[in-house]
Amino acid sequence: MAQANDQGTIEYRVAVREAIGDEMERDPSVVFFGEDVAIAGGVFAVTPGLHERFGERVIDTPISELAMSAGAFGAAVNGLRPIFEIMFADFLLLSMDSLVNQAAKYWYVSNEQGSCPLVVRSAMGAGGNFGAMHSQSPVPWLQGVPGLKVVAPATAGDAYALLRAAIRDDNPVAFLEHKRLYSVKDPVSPVDTLPLGEAAVVREGTDVTLVSISKGVRDCLRAADELAEKGVSAEVVDLRSLRPLDTETVLRSVAKTNRVVMVEEGPLIGGWAANLLGIVAAEGLHDLDDAWLIACPETPIPYSPTLEDAFLPNEGRIVGEVSSRLGLAAEIATGA
Amino acid sequence: MAEKTQATAPGAEIDAVEARDLYRRMRLIRTFEDTVQQQFQKGNVHGTTHLYSGQEASGVGVCSMLREGDKVAGTYRGHGHSIALGVDPQKLMDEMLGRVTGACGGRAGSMNVVDVASGLIGCFGIVGGSIGAATGAALAEKLRGTGNVAVAFFGDGTSNQAYFHESLNWAQVEKLPVVFVCENNLYMEFTPIEDVTAGAIGSRPQAMGIDYRQVDGNDVFAVREAAGEAIEHARSGAGPAFLETMTYRFVGHSRSDPGKYRKPGEMDEWKKRDPLILGRRALEERYGIEAERLDEIDAEVAKQLEEIVERGLAAPFPDPGSDGKEFK
């Protein structure tokens, strides 16, 4: 179990580090490699100390994302459990052939002769003015690949338990860490692992269901606090995994609240939220009084702080849209 | 059914029985490929195929120098790599025919065969995939301290892929026990390799300080000797080795290839150096094996393939009702 600080909380980046360290301690077949991860400890300071603890099992690689993902594949089908880090999720594109055509297909195409237990960790997300090529959240690109699990934890505690589960999983997992979450502190996980593919109702409510992943869940929770002051009871569902996708938990929540809004940091077209809303509509239309999406404009992610702030969903927009759709618009306009 | 070639590494010297087995395996690949082509034309093999005909000495020569525990990554032109390594030709044919008895239960087809029991970590449908996969397999062998090597087969066209440059570099930096076998058949698909490649392929591994040798890829004995040295280099911990086997394919790149790009007379010249002709000559000259005995092998292999196809066509197709239900 992860070590808490004096306040009983743990920083997100430390939770990730401890999950890797605890699994490497438990299982000698776990190895970890990536650019600048060993000696330097990672550009987001997630992995300092691991190389000192585990020696040659923690490796600095060249800037070769494709060789890294294929190297992880070859090692995974040959007795190791590699974790590799793609520094920015935008760089995942360079590693995609091996991830999609090799790792994700191996168990099925080999007719289940063998497994491919690898984890690719990557820092995604905007909000830091990194510009169009260092800010994307490539969730739908990965989610559309059968055979590749996709996990995007919202809290430090979940990051710890889900990463340990991902490392133990016998097939490939993409583990996406929002770079705006690395410095947040949350209660330590009470458990060593959480099952992949299970969503969590992280706040109970009766009027509307807010669904999101990763940093978006925290935006939804803050929005729910504000909505509560307006008399709106919002339920918040943290999907945690995008594949397998726990549609049951979402449908159960919608059956209770009859309204759903999905919040995605990414374009509306081709996004995970639109896809999930389609499934909810197909299977739970009779429970729906209202449903909509909050997502980003259909442009690359802009750099300038004013542009990027306007581009991203946030709790203010969630509160505004929920209030408006629930008929509280006048209240907002008058500040009542 | 599977005739696993016994390794004799590091020495390439073998007796007459083993030499005959090398010839039989090359003949098995050729006849297998001819049979796949026939079954394709009959509509029993589906999609597309990339045949290994003409390149048999490369795969057979290299794989005959491997030992139990070594790993191989092949390409979409992988039937030859698979048979050279010892994959059961019945299972391989059944896979081509899309049957549930195939090496991968009919899920893989011609280009993506995996056979864990033989050490075949995969045949890769994307150009260059074998290089990255074998490099990773070699990383595992090194960290586990097994003394095994991993072999990547790939073609000349792959030398222009990111996989090639990234993986060669990383393998050399980490001194991984991997052997890169570039089967240079002079054409990347329909285009002469020199038209699209700056400098010699061999200059690329050499620029990284990787052990390099080029060999006549149609002479199975020459391939064995060079492969033995390359494998020994990798196994010793000295880092990767690169073997370029110069060869020629006697068939189109894939089934849709008309072959109009070949230079006049080129095919005829290479057919004089057919690995099977060179193999027969060497067996007669070096081991005194009579031509009649080799004809017998040819006939035995032909009969073997007839029986394989008969059994394959009688085997059931996979049941779509049960496929993939437990995908996790």
Side-chain angles (χ1 to χ4, degrees):
Chain A
M1 198 173 296
Q3 296 299 307
N5 58 19
D6 293 345
Q7 289 78 45
T9 62
I10 189 167
E11 201 179 16
Y12 193 100
R13 60 161 57 79
V14 177
V16 170
R17 181 190 313 154
E18 294 204 354
I20 297 171
D22 288 352
E23 282 304 303
M24 292 189 78
E25 200 75 65
R26 193 183 77 88
D27 181 349
S29 70
V30 178
V31 299
F32 172 52
F33 53 83
E35 295 157 14
D36 297 331
V37 301
I39 306 289
V43 299
F44 295 106
V46 174
T47 58
L50 292 174
H51 178 63
E52 289 74 5
R53 276 175 76 189
F54 299 105
E56 67 169 5
R57 290 166 62 197
V58 179
I59 304 166
D60 281 323
T61 66
I63 302 175
S64 300
E65 282 82 1
L66 182 59
M68 247 193 274
S69 64
F73 164 77
V77 301
N78 197 20
L80 297 186
R81 286 183 178 270
I83 309 162
F84 69 105
E85 177 178 305
I86 297 292
M87 191 184 291
F88 284 77
D90 314 72
F91 311 164
L92 276 166
L93 286 172
L94 293 161
S95 68
M96 287 292 263
D97 179 59
S98 180
L99 269 182
V100 175
N101 282 320
Q102 300 184 338
K105 296 181 180 24
Y106 180 78
W107 186 80
Y108 177 81
V109 172
S110 76
N111 205 25
E112 302 160 39
Q113 289 176 59
S115 293
C116 182
L118 68 81
V119 175
V120 52
R121 292 180 40 244
S122 198
M124 68 169 180
N129 308 121
F130 281 107
M133 298 172 209
H134 289 69
S135 301
Q136 296 166 93
S137 296
V139 173
W141 307 343
L142 300 165
Q143 191 192 21
V145 183
L148 183 62
K149 297 185 179 76
V150 183
V151 180
T155 70
D158 282 2
Y160 175 83
L162 289 169
L163 182 52
R164 291 196 70 171
I167 296 166
R168 292 185 199 184
D169 196 275
D170 283 334
N171 276 302
V173 180
F175 192 86
L176 300 169
E177 301 156 16
H178 199 294
K179 57 178 87 73
R180 304 302 288 172
L181 296 185
Y182 277 134
S183 297
V184 303
K185 293 189 177 82
D186 294 308
V188 295
S189 173
V191 293
D192 282 350
T193 63
L194 280 169
L196 307 183
E198 283 190 14
V201 176
V202 293
R203 178 186 175 116
E204 301 260 358
T206 53
D207 295 332
V208 61
T209 298
L210 312 179
V211 182
S212 196
I213 60 165
S214 190
K215 176 178 169 292
V217 174
R218 304 175 85 100
D219 295 340
C220 288
L221 285 169
R222 281 195 297 274
D225 284 343
E226 286 185 42
L227 287 166
E229 291 171 15
K230 298 174 184 296
V232 175
S233 168
E235 179 149 304
V236 178
V237 175
D238 178 357
L239 291 173
R240 299 198 293 205
S241 298
L242 281 305
R243 179 183 284 274
L245 186 59
D246 180 2
T247 54
E248 286 305 311
T249 295
V250 179
L251 285 163
R252 255 200 317 275
S253 178
V254 168
K256 184 166 73 168
T257 65
N258 306 124
R259 297 182 189 90
V260 63
V261 52
M262 304 196 181
V263 180
E264 176 166 6
E265 186 183 317
L268 184 81
I269 305 300
W272 63 259
N275 177 254
L276 177 56
L277 186 54
I279 295 170
V280 169
E283 297 183 21
L285 190 61
H286 51 282
D287 285 325
L288 279 176
D289 290 334
D290 199 2
W292 76 100
L293 305 170
I294 295 179
C296 298
E298 304 295 320
T299 70
I301 300 171
Y303 158 70
S304 177
T306 56
L307 294 177
E308 193 188 46
D309 288 349
F311 183 89
L312 296 172
N314 54 37
E315 64 262 36
R317 188 170 157 202
I318 299 166
V319 170
E321 292 203 14
V322 170
S323 301
S324 170
R325 301 282 281 235
L326 268 60
L328 306 177
E331 214 178 313
I332 294 167
T334 59
Chain B
M1 188 61 67
E3 303 173 67
K4 188 100 180 172
T5 301
Q6 293 303 307
T8 57
E13 288 304 311
I14 48 174
D15 63 23
V17 175
E18 292 169 310
R20 223 163 40 211
D21 281 350
L22 286 182
Y23 175 78
R24 178 186 291 274
R25 197 166 292 264
M26 291 198 294
R27 175 58 72 188
L28 181 60
I29 294 171
R30 178 70 57 86
T31 309
F32 186 94
E33 298 293 55
D34 290 346
T35 307
V36 167
Q37 181 66 15
Q38 289 158 11
Q39 291 303 316
F40 191 94
Q41 283 160 352
K42 288 181 179 175
N44 294 325
V45 173
H46 313 274
T48 191
T49 56
H50 302 75
L51 305 180
Y52 198 63
S53 310
Q55 304 183 191
E56 294 87 348
S58 176
V60 170
V62 171
C63 290
S64 71
M65 297 303 288
L66 296 175
R67 71 182 195 197
E68 190 78 30
D70 291 338
K71 307 297 185 299
V72 167
T75 68
Y76 51 86
R77 197 180 305 287
H79 311 164
H81 303 140
S82 303
I83 293 173
L85 186 62
V87 175
D88 181 346
Q90 180 74 60
K91 284 184 171 180
L92 197 63
M93 183 60 76
D94 290 4
E95 188 64 33
M96 305 301 117
L97 296 168
R99 307 303 163 123
V100 74
T101 46
C104 298
R107 287 175 171 183
S110 170
M111 291 192 278
N112 307 303
V113 172
V114 178
D115 192 56
V116 171
S118 302
L120 184 69
I121 62 171
C123 293
F124 296 90
I126 306 297
V127 170
S130 60
I131 300 183
T135 300
L139 177 69
E141 301 294 357
K142 182 193 169 195
L143 291 178
R144 289 159 59 208
T146 59
N148 297 331
V149 302
V151 173
F153 286 104
F154 53 93
D156 42 277
T158 312
S159 64
N160 293 316
Q161 272 281 33
Y163 271 121
F164 177 98
H165 297 269
E166 292 191 6
S167 301
L168 261 63
N169 175 64
W170 196 26
Q172 173 69 335
V173 167
E174 292 292 332
K175 297 290 181 207
L176 300 182
V178 54
V179 180
F180 301 110
V181 180
C182 178
E183 301 185 311
N184 186 342
N185 64 20
L186 312 185
Y187 293 91
M188 57 135 287
E189 306 199 3
F190 301 181
T191 304
I193 187 64
E194 67 268 21
D195 290 1
V196 291
T197 307
I201 291 171
S203 68
R204 296 172 177 192
Q206 290 182 87
M208 300 184 200
I210 292 175
D211 178 83
Y212 169 81
R213 43 182 63 76
Q214 189 186 61
V215 68
D216 177 356
N218 282 20
D219 177 347
V220 72
F221 293 97
V223 172
R224 273 178 59 81
E225 196 170 332
E229 292 167 6
I231 292 165
E232 190 52 31
H233 177 90
R235 208 187 294 288
S236 74
F242 192 108
L243 177 65
E244 186 177 13
T245 59
M246 304 306 294
T247 185
Y248 197 78
R249 69 177 146 66
F250 292 160
V251 293
H253 163 74
S254 62
R255 65 168 187 99
S256 60
D257 174 8
K260 288 179 182 168
Y261 48 83
R262 297 181 195 273
K263 297 174 183 72
E266 187 178 71
M267 176 77 92
D268 294 337
E269 284 306 306
W270 277 94
K271 285 229 162 161
K272 291 177 192 164
R273 305 199 67 259
D274 184 326
L276 291 167
I277 292 175
L278 297 189
R280 288 180 75 109
R281 193 179 301 155
L283 288 176
E284 289 172 27
E285 289 173 1
R286 295 191 200 184
Y287 295 94
I289 298 172
E290 291 175 356
E292 290 73 24
R293 177 67 192 111
L294 298 169
D295 291 341
E296 281 170 28
I297 290 175
D298 292 355
E300 287 162 15
V301 169
K303 186 160 186 302
Q304 183 185 357
L305 259 300
E306 277 174 28
E307 291 168 0
I308 282 172
V309 166
E310 197 177 322
R311 281 192 293 266
L313 289 173
F317 282 101
D319 171 15
S322 63
D323 185 72
K325 292 293 187 285
E326 293 175 22
F327 191 63
K328 57 181 181 180

